[in-house]
Amino acid sequence: MKSVLPLIAAASMFLFGARAMPDPAPPPDTLDAETIRLLDSVIGNSDPGACRKIAGKLSATEIVTAIYRGGRSTRLAALEVAGYVDHPWPILPYLVALMNAPERQTASRSTGAMLRCLQRISSSPSGPADVIEGEFEQLVMALFEVADNHLLASDLRASALFGVGMIDNMTGRRREPSQAHLEDEDIAVRAAAIGLLNPPLRDGVLGVLVRIATSSEETPMHRSQAVGLLCENAHAHGVKAPSKDLAKIIRSLLSAELPAEAVLPIMACLRRFPPDARADLVDLALKHPDPAVGKFWESTENR
């Protein structure tokens, strides 16, 4: 695969103007006609495998050049194809940079391609073996910057945090979101930030989760997500029963009119407490009118 490093500067100039890297090596000025033809064949193509086929015929350099040198339709096609390359790591920094693009479709396609690339890397039998630690760290920093950008749509910012979580799963590390992410005004960002948490949790995070879990202004699923983490944090500290405060929070949530899918994560955590420590909470949960709750509990008890 051809190197794409000379195009880093082009990405910076394309997006940030004066913030471009100094003395950049210039990227190719023109696109190869065959590259344009291949990418144009993707436009309007209903074949779900078309992008994968084209990705196998183009180098990372050709795809990135098309993103920055092509017209709008070529750029969007290149972004779609970028998510299907066999060795996606060299393209990822450009996709993350373009998540900040002012044109919504460019930002959205870059985001989708970024998530597909990370999924391909994580599902590869060799994993991210050819990626050095510093590259992961740089990408995580860039993704957190996207999540911090309040000028972007909430789905893009939340996707950036999902990307961090995928990298965490690959590397076995946990990058904790900032308190600002956990308290963001947008629920999608808050939910994605909570997804990055891994007990044991620090006191500041616990306070945020308690506020979420007890707030009637939060969605049931978001409250359930917070309660689930509080419960998992108790297990992380080796306690044999929910504390009075935790039991009170769980009880208040189970007493509300929650959909079954919001109850199940709580029950999954309760299951790991001794029967006598969880009995009253489980009895309350089993009063849920949706039979899926009872069936779920029976299936977990029989394991």
Side-chain angles (χ1 to χ4, degrees), residues 16-98:
F16 305 118
R19 293 175 58 190
M21 294 171 61
D23 301 319
D29 290 327
T30 59
L31 284 175
D32 178 84
E34 178 63 9
T35 300
I36 296 175
R37 186 191 70 78
L38 287 170
L39 290 171
D40 285 349
S41 70
V42 174
I43 302 171
N45 193 327
S46 59
D47 179 6
C51 287
R52 188 172 290 105
K53 293 174 184 176
I54 300 305
K57 297 179 180 180
L58 296 175
S59 69
T61 298
E62 289 166 332
I63 293 174
V64 174
T65 302
I67 291 171
Y68 289 99
R69 298 297 192 194
R72 183 175 184 274
S73 60
T74 300
R75 177 175 72 251
L76 294 177
L79 288 170
E80 197 69 29
V81 168
Y84 297 92
V85 297
D86 287 335
H87 303 285
W89 186 260
I91 295 179
L92 275 167
Y94 305 100
L95 297 178
V96 174
L98 280 171

Side-chain angles (χ1 to χ4, degrees), residues 62-267:
E62 289 166 332
I63 293 174
V64 174
T65 302
I67 291 171
Y68 289 99
R69 298 297 192 194
R72 183 175 184 274
S73 60
T74 300
R75 177 175 72 251
L76 294 177
L79 288 170
E80 197 69 29
V81 168
Y84 297 92
V85 297
D86 287 335
H87 303 285
W89 186 260
I91 295 179
L92 275 167
Y94 305 100
L95 297 178
V96 174
L98 280 171
M99 290 172 70
N100 290 291
E103 202 242 336
R104 172 65 199 217
Q105 200 164 4
T106 293
S108 295
R109 292 208 185 185
S110 299
T111 301
M114 179 273 295
L115 293 174
R116 282 194 297 272
C117 283
L118 288 176
Q119 180 59 43
R120 288 176 68 82
I121 293 172
S122 64
S123 61
S124 171
S126 60
D130 57 342
V131 181
I132 62 175
E133 181 66 20
E135 291 176 318
F136 276 124
E137 291 302 320
Q138 290 174 5
L139 195 64
V140 166
M141 289 176 60
L143 286 168
F144 273 133
E145 287 178 2
V146 173
D148 289 338
N149 187 351
H150 288 264
L151 297 178
L152 298 178
S154 60
D155 61 313
L156 303 180
R157 298 174 59 221
S159 293
L161 294 177
F162 287 137
V164 172
M166 294 173 76
I167 292 174
D168 281 352
N169 290 336
M170 282 187 271
T171 60
R173 291 190 56 185
R174 303 303 298 182
R175 280 87 169 179
E176 190 172 281
S178 68
Q179 193 134 334
H181 293 143
L182 292 168
E183 297 178 325
D184 195 90
E185 62 182 14
D186 193 278
I187 189 170
V189 176
R190 297 199 303 275
I194 288 178
L196 292 179
L197 295 174
N198 189 42
L201 304 170
R202 57 184 174 84
D203 290 345
V205 171
L206 288 173
V208 173
L209 292 177
V210 169
R211 288 198 296 274
I212 293 172
T214 56
S215 173
S216 60
E217 296 181 0
E218 298 287 350
T219 67
M221 290 303 299
H222 197 205
R223 293 180 65 191
S224 173
Q225 188 183 18
V227 170
L229 267 173
L230 291 170
C231 183
E232 293 296 339
N233 188 67
H235 284 299
H237 287 282
V239 301
K240 299 302 182 183
S243 67
K244 290 183 179 179
D245 288 339
L246 177 58
K248 181 179 179 180
I249 292 173
I250 295 175
R251 193 173 291 108
S252 67
L253 194 60
L254 293 176
S255 299
E257 294 182 1
L258 294 181
E261 56 268 26
V263 176
L264 302 187
I266 300 173
M267 296 188 75

Side-chain angles (χ1 to χ4, degrees), residues 268 271 295-303:
R271 183 181 66 83
K295 291 179 180 178
F296 172 80
W297 184 253
E298 291 176 4
S299 68
T300 59
E301 284 293 88
N302 292 330
R303 288 178 184 174

